[in-house]
């Protein structure tokens, strides 16, 4: 069982979303938590496109999520929302898949103009799945150094925000046990 399941909604490889999520993954692992990392690219396009709820890969993901203590979900901003392929994956999960779990939303956009995409797109999706969304973190593309995967965030204020949100996730998980 993994303590925290991480879902990446980015179809690009490599992507700033994956770099950010893997950085956050290392932070929670350094706090003693186990993680399972899933990208939408790990799933068959046929399963996603044809809505195969009973696909072996989708069933395994559902089990991992239901057994997890917390979730981190990230997506680039596409047309002021999360990616459509992330929605296709989420649509295959059972109703209430995130029930009573703290969920840390992460979004990466080209500018601050889409800052509210977390509040108006990703958090409602988390709530529909009965998850408990935390404040979340919005990154602007230029704040993430794709060339430095070990330490991709250069802005000290953003580093502090990331640490604060990771700590909030950890505290939310610990409160439920």
């Amino acid at each position: 069982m993994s303590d925290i399941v991480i879902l990446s909604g980015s179809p690009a490889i490599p992507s700033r979303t994956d770099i950010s999520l893997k950085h956050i993954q290392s932070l929670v692992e350094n706090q003693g938590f186990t993680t399972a990392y899933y990208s939408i690219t790990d799933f068959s396009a046929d399963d996603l496109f044809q809505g195969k709820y009973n696909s072996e890969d989708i069933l395994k993901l559902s089990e991992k999520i239901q057994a997890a203590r917390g979730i981190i979900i990230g997506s680039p901003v596409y047309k002021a929302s999360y990616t459509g392929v992330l929605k296709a994956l989420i649509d295959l999960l059972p109703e209430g898949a995130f029930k009573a779990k703290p969920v840390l939303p992460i979004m990466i956009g080209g500018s601050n103009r889409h800052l509210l995409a977390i509040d108006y797109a990703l958090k409602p999706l988390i709530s529909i799945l009965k998850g408990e969304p935390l404040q979340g973190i919005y990154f602007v593309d230029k704040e993430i150094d794709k060339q430095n995967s070990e330490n991709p965030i250069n802005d000290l204020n953003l580093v502090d925000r990331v640490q604060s949100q990771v700590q909030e996730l950890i505290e939310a998980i610990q409160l439920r046990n």
Side-chain angles (χ1 to χ4, degrees), residues 64-101:
K64 284 278 194 185
I65 288 172
Q66 290 176 358
R69 297 167 63 196
I71 300 164
I72 301 170
I73 185 169
S75 177
V77 176
Y78 281 18
K79 307 291 187 218
S81 189
Y82 45 80
T83 61
V85 71
L86 176 62
K87 178 68 164 76
L89 176 62
I90 294 294
D91 285 345
L92 298 178
L93 297 176
E95 186 177 327
F98 293 0
K99 187 173 184 172
K101 296 180 189 331

Side-chain angles (χ1 to χ4, degrees), residues 75-146:
S75 177
V77 176
Y78 281 18
K79 307 291 187 218
S81 189
Y82 45 80
T83 61
V85 71
L86 176 62
K87 178 68 164 76
L89 176 62
I90 294 294
D91 285 345
L92 298 178
L93 297 176
E95 186 177 327
F98 293 0
K99 187 173 184 172
K101 296 180 189 331
V103 182
L104 176 58
I106 308 292
M107 292 192 87
I108 291 88
S111 74
N112 280 323
R113 292 185 319 196
H114 297 294
L115 178 64
L116 295 176
I118 286 180
D119 291 325
Y120 290 105
L122 197 51
K123 283 184 181 180
L125 181 67
I126 293 166
S127 295
I128 289 293
L129 294 170
K130 308 293 187 245
E132 299 172 7
L134 303 177
Q135 179 179 350
I137 307 164
Y138 180 87
F139 295 95
V140 175
D141 283 346
K142 66 182 179 185
E143 296 172 326
I144 301 165
D145 182 356
K146 280 178 89 170

Side-chain angles (χ1 to χ4, degrees), residues 3-5 33 65 68-73 97-105 126 130-135 165-177:
D3 293 319
I4 299 171
V5 170
F33 289 87
I65 288 172
R69 297 167 63 196
I71 300 164
I72 301 170
I73 185 169
F98 293 0
K99 187 173 184 172
K101 296 180 189 331
V103 182
L104 176 58
I126 293 166
K130 308 293 187 245
E132 299 172 7
L134 303 177
Q135 179 179 350
Q165 285 296 288
V166 166
Q167 190 58 40
E168 186 176 328
L169 175 65
I170 290 168
E171 289 171 6
I173 288 170
Q174 291 170 338
L175 282 174
R176 285 161 180 78
N177 290 327

Side-chain angles (χ1 to χ4, degrees), residues 148-168:
N148 186 357
S149 59
E150 286 190 31
N151 205 6
I153 304 166
N154 297 326
D155 181 272
L156 294 179
N157 290 328
L158 188 54
V159 169
D160 288 344
R161 282 193 359 231
V162 169
Q163 290 286 359
S164 174
Q165 285 296 288
V166 166
Q167 190 58 40
E168 186 176 328

